[in-house]
mmCIF file of all heavy atoms in Angstrom:
data_model
loop_
_atom_site.group_PDB
_atom_site.id
_atom_site.type_symbol
_atom_site.label_atom_id
_atom_site.label_comp_id
_atom_site.label_asym_id
_atom_site.label_seq_id
_atom_site.Cartn_x
_atom_site.Cartn_y
_atom_site.Cartn_z
ATOM 1 N N ILE X 1 -19.580 165.129 -77.843
ATOM 2 C CA ILE X 1 -19.642 164.904 -76.390
ATOM 3 C C ILE X 1 -20.472 163.664 -76.073
ATOM 4 O O ILE X 1 -20.102 162.852 -75.206
ATOM 5 C CB ILE X 1 -20.225 166.144 -75.686
ATOM 6 C CG1 ILE X 1 -19.259 167.328 -75.824
ATOM 7 C CG2 ILE X 1 -20.499 165.859 -74.214
ATOM 8 C CD1 ILE X 1 -19.808 168.633 -75.289
ATOM 9 N N LEU X 2 -21.600 163.480 -76.782
ATOM 10 C CA LEU X 2 -22.465 162.335 -76.499
ATOM 11 C C LEU X 2 -21.821 160.999 -76.878
ATOM 12 O O LEU X 2 -22.282 159.947 -76.424
ATOM 13 C CB LEU X 2 -23.793 162.496 -77.248
ATOM 14 C CG LEU X 2 -24.695 163.651 -76.792
ATOM 15 C CD1 LEU X 2 -25.957 163.707 -77.628
ATOM 16 C CD2 LEU X 2 -25.038 163.518 -75.311
ATOM 17 N N GLN X 3 -20.774 161.035 -77.710
ATOM 18 C CA GLN X 3 -20.101 159.780 -78.094
ATOM 19 C C GLN X 3 -18.943 159.423 -77.169
ATOM 20 O O GLN X 3 -18.327 158.356 -77.330
ATOM 21 C CB GLN X 3 -19.583 159.887 -79.532
ATOM 22 C CG GLN X 3 -20.654 160.112 -80.566
ATOM 23 C CD GLN X 3 -21.856 159.213 -80.390
ATOM 24 O OE1 GLN X 3 -21.736 157.982 -80.346
ATOM 25 N NE2 GLN X 3 -23.028 159.822 -80.272
ATOM 26 N N ILE X 4 -18.644 160.282 -76.200
ATOM 27 C CA ILE X 4 -17.501 160.018 -75.321
ATOM 28 C C ILE X 4 -17.696 158.711 -74.558
ATOM 29 O O ILE X 4 -16.783 157.865 -74.494
ATOM 30 C CB ILE X 4 -17.291 161.194 -74.345
ATOM 31 C CG1 ILE X 4 -16.801 162.429 -75.120
ATOM 32 C CG2 ILE X 4 -16.269 160.808 -73.261
ATOM 33 C CD1 ILE X 4 -16.650 163.665 -74.259
ATOM 34 N N ALA X 5 -18.885 158.506 -73.966
ATOM 35 C CA ALA X 5 -19.131 157.293 -73.172
ATOM 36 C C ALA X 5 -19.038 156.025 -74.020
ATOM 37 O O ALA X 5 -18.267 155.108 -73.678
ATOM 38 C CB ALA X 5 -20.478 157.389 -72.461
ATOM 39 N N PRO X 6 -19.786 155.895 -75.139
ATOM 40 C CA PRO X 6 -19.635 154.681 -75.948
ATOM 41 C C PRO X 6 -18.242 154.551 -76.564
ATOM 42 O O PRO X 6 -17.765 153.430 -76.793
ATOM 43 C CB PRO X 6 -20.715 154.831 -77.031
ATOM 44 C CG PRO X 6 -21.096 156.262 -77.031
ATOM 45 C CD PRO X 6 -20.870 156.759 -75.649
ATOM 46 N N PHE X 7 -17.579 155.682 -76.829
ATOM 47 C CA PHE X 7 -16.213 155.648 -77.343
ATOM 48 C C PHE X 7 -15.279 154.996 -76.325
ATOM 49 O O PHE X 7 -14.330 154.289 -76.696
ATOM 50 C CB PHE X 7 -15.748 157.089 -77.626
ATOM 51 C CG PHE X 7 -14.574 157.185 -78.562
ATOM 52 C CD1 PHE X 7 -14.762 157.452 -79.910
ATOM 53 C CD2 PHE X 7 -13.278 157.019 -78.103
ATOM 54 C CE1 PHE X 7 -13.686 157.554 -80.784
ATOM 55 C CE2 PHE X 7 -12.196 157.119 -78.961
ATOM 56 C CZ PHE X 7 -12.399 157.379 -80.305
ATOM 57 N N LEU X 8 -15.556 155.214 -75.052
ATOM 58 C CA LEU X 8 -14.741 154.640 -73.984
ATOM 59 C C LEU X 8 -15.257 153.284 -73.509
ATOM 60 O O LEU X 8 -14.769 152.740 -72.515
ATOM 61 C CB LEU X 8 -14.677 155.605 -72.798
ATOM 62 C CG LEU X 8 -14.039 156.979 -73.100
ATOM 63 C CD1 LEU X 8 -14.127 157.885 -71.878
ATOM 64 C CD2 LEU X 8 -12.590 156.807 -73.537
ATOM 65 N N GLY X 9 -16.285 152.765 -74.224
ATOM 66 C CA GLY X 9 -16.776 151.427 -73.914
ATOM 67 C C GLY X 9 -17.780 151.366 -72.784
ATOM 68 O O GLY X 9 -17.896 150.330 -72.115
ATOM 69 N N GLN X 10 -18.548 152.451 -72.565
ATOM 70 C CA GLN X 10 -19.522 152.471 -71.466
ATOM 71 C C GLN X 10 -20.848 153.028 -71.943
ATOM 72 O O GLN X 10 -20.929 153.678 -72.977
ATOM 73 C CB GLN X 10 -18.980 153.329 -70.317
ATOM 74 C CG GLN X 10 -17.675 152.786 -69.725
ATOM 75 C CD GLN X 10 -16.972 153.826 -68.888
ATOM 76 O OE1 GLN X 10 -17.476 154.215 -67.840
ATOM 77 N NE2 GLN X 10 -15.821 154.285 -69.354
ATOM 78 N N ALA X 11 -21.880 152.774 -71.135
ATOM 79 C CA ALA X 11 -23.200 153.309 -71.444
ATOM 80 C C ALA X 11 -23.219 154.813 -71.191
ATOM 81 O O ALA X 11 -22.535 155.314 -70.297
ATOM 82 C CB ALA X 11 -24.254 152.612 -70.584
ATOM 83 N N SER X 12 -24.000 155.524 -71.989
ATOM 84 C CA SER X 12 -24.078 156.974 -71.826
ATOM 85 C C SER X 12 -24.798 157.330 -70.531
ATOM 86 O O SER X 12 -25.872 156.782 -70.238
ATOM 87 C CB SER X 12 -24.826 157.597 -73.007
ATOM 88 O OG SER X 12 -24.134 157.370 -74.212
ATOM 89 N N PRO X 13 -24.227 158.220 -69.738
ATOM 90 C CA PRO X 13 -24.891 158.627 -68.493
ATOM 91 C C PRO X 13 -26.117 159.477 -68.781
ATOM 92 O O PRO X 13 -26.245 160.058 -69.867
ATOM 93 C CB PRO X 13 -23.813 159.446 -67.772
ATOM 94 C CG PRO X 13 -22.923 159.937 -68.848
ATOM 95 C CD PRO X 13 -22.943 158.891 -69.926
ATOM 96 N N LYS X 14 -27.001 159.566 -67.807
ATOM 97 C CA LYS X 14 -28.188 160.394 -67.973
ATOM 98 C C LYS X 14 -27.794 161.870 -67.891
ATOM 99 O O LYS X 14 -26.779 162.222 -67.321
ATOM 100 C CB LYS X 14 -29.209 160.078 -66.885
ATOM 101 C CG LYS X 14 -29.787 158.665 -66.984
ATOM 102 C CD LYS X 14 -30.817 158.425 -65.904
ATOM 103 C CE LYS X 14 -31.412 157.021 -66.031
ATOM 104 N NZ LYS X 14 -32.422 156.754 -64.988
ATOM 105 N N GLY X 15 -28.635 162.711 -68.495
ATOM 106 C CA GLY X 15 -28.370 164.149 -68.413
ATOM 107 C C GLY X 15 -27.773 164.741 -69.666
ATOM 108 O O GLY X 15 -27.429 165.924 -69.672
ATOM 109 N N GLY X 16 -27.643 163.951 -70.739
ATOM 110 C CA GLY X 16 -27.153 164.488 -71.999
ATOM 111 C C GLY X 16 -25.753 165.061 -71.910
ATOM 112 O O GLY X 16 -24.846 164.464 -71.306
ATOM 113 N N VAL X 17 -25.557 166.246 -72.473
ATOM 114 C CA VAL X 17 -24.238 166.875 -72.518
ATOM 115 C C VAL X 17 -23.727 167.176 -71.115
ATOM 116 O O VAL X 17 -22.579 166.855 -70.765
ATOM 117 C CB VAL X 17 -24.291 168.175 -73.361
ATOM 118 C CG1 VAL X 17 -22.991 168.952 -73.235
ATOM 119 C CG2 VAL X 17 -24.567 167.845 -74.822
ATOM 120 N N ILE X 18 -24.566 167.804 -70.311
ATOM 121 C CA ILE X 18 -24.158 168.166 -68.952
ATOM 122 C C ILE X 18 -23.825 166.919 -68.144
ATOM 123 O O ILE X 18 -22.816 166.874 -67.424
ATOM 124 C CB ILE X 18 -25.261 168.980 -68.240
ATOM 125 C CG1 ILE X 18 -25.620 170.230 -69.055
ATOM 126 C CG2 ILE X 18 -24.834 169.359 -66.836
ATOM 127 C CD1 ILE X 18 -24.483 171.203 -69.213
ATOM 128 N N GLY X 19 -24.685 165.896 -68.270
ATOM 129 C CA GLY X 19 -24.437 164.654 -67.538
ATOM 130 C C GLY X 19 -23.142 163.989 -67.950
ATOM 131 O O GLY X 19 -22.398 163.469 -67.108
ATOM 132 N N THR X 20 -22.832 164.007 -69.244
ATOM 133 C CA THR X 20 -21.582 163.409 -69.728
ATOM 134 C C THR X 20 -20.376 164.160 -69.196
ATOM 135 O O THR X 20 -19.389 163.550 -68.751
ATOM 136 C CB THR X 20 -21.562 163.401 -71.268
ATOM 137 O OG1 THR X 20 -22.669 162.643 -71.762
ATOM 138 C CG2 THR X 20 -20.273 162.783 -71.786
ATOM 139 N N ILE X 21 -20.437 165.490 -69.239
ATOM 140 C CA ILE X 21 -19.314 166.294 -68.734
ATOM 141 C C ILE X 21 -19.117 166.080 -67.242
ATOM 142 O O ILE X 21 -17.978 165.952 -66.758
ATOM 143 C CB ILE X 21 -19.558 167.785 -69.043
ATOM 144 C CG1 ILE X 21 -19.527 168.013 -70.560
ATOM 145 C CG2 ILE X 21 -18.500 168.653 -68.363
ATOM 146 C CD1 ILE X 21 -19.888 169.419 -70.970
ATOM 147 N N GLN X 22 -20.209 166.023 -66.482
ATOM 148 C CA GLN X 22 -20.104 165.825 -65.041
ATOM 149 C C GLN X 22 -19.538 164.445 -64.694
ATOM 150 O O GLN X 22 -18.848 164.292 -63.674
ATOM 151 C CB GLN X 22 -21.482 165.998 -64.397
ATOM 152 C CG GLN X 22 -21.988 167.438 -64.408
ATOM 153 C CD GLN X 22 -23.400 167.560 -63.879
ATOM 154 O OE1 GLN X 22 -24.169 166.587 -63.845
ATOM 155 N NE2 GLN X 22 -23.770 168.770 -63.460
ATOM 156 N N ASN X 23 -19.829 163.437 -65.527
ATOM 157 C CA ASN X 23 -19.365 162.075 -65.257
ATOM 158 C C ASN X 23 -18.066 161.730 -65.983
ATOM 159 O O ASN X 23 -17.669 160.560 -65.991
ATOM 160 C CB ASN X 23 -20.449 161.072 -65.670
ATOM 161 C CG ASN X 23 -21.632 161.067 -64.734
ATOM 162 O OD1 ASN X 23 -21.628 160.416 -63.695
ATOM 163 N ND2 ASN X 23 -22.662 161.820 -65.092
ATOM 164 N N LEU X 24 -17.419 162.732 -66.573
ATOM 165 C CA LEU X 24 -16.210 162.466 -67.348
ATOM 166 C C LEU X 24 -15.110 161.794 -66.531
ATOM 167 O O LEU X 24 -14.483 160.827 -67.018
ATOM 168 C CB LEU X 24 -15.708 163.777 -67.968
ATOM 169 C CG LEU X 24 -14.647 163.647 -69.059
ATOM 170 C CD1 LEU X 24 -15.136 162.755 -70.195
ATOM 171 C CD2 LEU X 24 -14.268 165.022 -69.611
ATOM 172 N N PRO X 25 -14.813 162.233 -65.299
ATOM 173 C CA PRO X 25 -13.775 161.531 -64.510
ATOM 174 C C PRO X 25 -14.093 160.048 -64.311
ATOM 175 O O PRO X 25 -13.196 159.193 -64.411
ATOM 176 C CB PRO X 25 -13.779 162.292 -63.181
ATOM 177 C CG PRO X 25 -14.292 163.655 -63.533
ATOM 178 C CD PRO X 25 -15.315 163.420 -64.584
ATOM 179 N N GLN X 26 -15.358 159.748 -64.034
ATOM 180 C CA GLN X 26 -15.754 158.353 -63.830
ATOM 181 C C GLN X 26 -15.636 157.560 -65.130
ATOM 182 O O GLN X 26 -15.204 156.396 -65.120
ATOM 183 C CB GLN X 26 -17.188 158.305 -63.297
ATOM 184 C CG GLN X 26 -17.673 156.895 -62.976
ATOM 185 C CD GLN X 26 -19.096 156.897 -62.441
ATOM 186 O OE1 GLN X 26 -19.649 157.961 -62.146
ATOM 187 N NE2 GLN X 26 -19.685 155.719 -62.323
#
């Protein structure tokens, strides 16, 4: 889950796992 943001070419959002899941649409 934590690699989703860098995998998509973006900086990781704050909030760890929960933050990444919440920002997934963005």
Side-chain angles (χ1 to χ4, degrees):
I1 293 174
L2 293 179
Q3 299 314 305
I4 291 176
F7 199 98
L8 299 176
Q10 298 164 67
S12 297
K14 294 182 179 180
V17 171
I18 304 297
T20 300
I21 294 174
Q22 290 175 339
N23 288 276
L24 193 56
Q26 183 180 350

